[in-house]
Amino acid sequence: MMKKIDLKILDSRIGDRFPLPVYATSGSAGLDLRACIDDAIVLAPGETTLIPTGLAVHIADTGLAAMVLPRSGLGHKHGIVLGNLVGLIDSDYQGPLMVSVWNRGQHVFTIEPGERLAQMVFVPIVQVEFNVVDEFSASSRGEGGFGHSGRQ
Ligand SMILES: O=c1ccn([C@H]2C[C@H](O)[C@@H](COP(=O)(O)OP(=O)(O)OP(=O)(O)O)O2)c(=O)[nH]1
Ligand SMILES: [Mg+2]
């Protein structure tokens, strides 16, 4: 059974002119988020703009979060990614769900009303407490990192 998440429709065009986010296929991991805007927005190369989705979600469960990720086609072909690279939606956030859209490409990009700009993925979260220690118990890696094992 699918987990139920409370969702508020903040813009009356959602569910009418702009569909609610849905899984496009039975195996989709992400729900596409649409630009809930009145008119097309022209984004010059290098520009970032905050786009409302017209929705709010309250995840409520501390064992879950949502991540906002770029769509691969927009990112690869048009250089349209996210100003925050990845968005993280906290389980206690109740405000408007926004998408920071960054044109990292070389060409002007026009965001059309209703356009699917990004995708939202719900992910499990483990909240931790820190146990402050002087020494860690030994591990096979130890302090090696940042490529210490070479490239091949
Ligand atoms: O792409 C995003 C990223 C975040 N948010 C909302 C939900 C999230 O729970 C809240 C705060 O995000 P974050 O903690 O990443 O931002 P911050 O800069 O640390 O703001 P705050 O001080 O409000 O935590 O903003 C969005 O709507 N879209
Ligand atoms: Mg924060």
Side-chain angles (χ1 to χ4, degrees):
M1 215 197 49
M2 294 243 201
K3 169 90 178 174
K4 296 274 188 198
I5 301 286
D6 284 352
L7 177 147
K8 266 193 203 170
I9 292 174
L10 304 179
D11 186 299
S12 58
R13 292 171 296 182
I14 302 282
D16 173 26
R17 192 171 152 210
F18 306 142
L20 274 172
V22 288
Y23 293 107
T25 64
S26 58
S28 291
L31 301 137
D32 286 340
L33 297 175
R34 293 173 184 269
C36 192
I37 51 178
D38 297 326
D39 300 299
I41 292 175
V42 175
L43 204 59
E47 255 189 344
T48 304
T49 188
L50 202 54
I51 301 287
T53 63
L55 303 168
V57 290
H58 180 210
I59 299 172
D61 180 346
T62 56
L64 281 180
M67 293 172 79
V68 181
L69 302 175
R71 294 184 65 212
S72 56
L74 283 183
H76 181 71
K77 292 187 194 146
H78 301 284
I80 296 300
V81 293
L82 305 176
N84 45 357
L85 304 186
V86 173
L88 182 61
I89 312 302
D90 297 287
S91 67
D92 54 357
Y93 181 68
Q94 299 182 322
L97 186 60
M98 307 291 286
V99 178
S100 172
V101 182
W102 173 30
N103 182 356
R104 64 154 182 78
Q106 314 284 314
H107 305 284
V108 160
F109 183 84
T110 303
I111 303 170
E112 301 292 345
E115 181 154 9
R116 290 173 295 140
L117 287 176
Q119 52 189 331
M120 179 165 62
V121 177
F122 286 85
V123 290
I125 294 295
V126 177
Q127 287 187 325
V128 305
E129 275 179 359
F130 290 116
N131 178 39
V132 177
V133 297
D134 291 325
E135 296 292 340
F136 292 131
S137 56
S139 76
S140 51
R141 173 177 286 273
E143 295 188 0
F146 296 92
H148 92 296
S149 64
R151 290 183 59 182
Q152 297 295 328

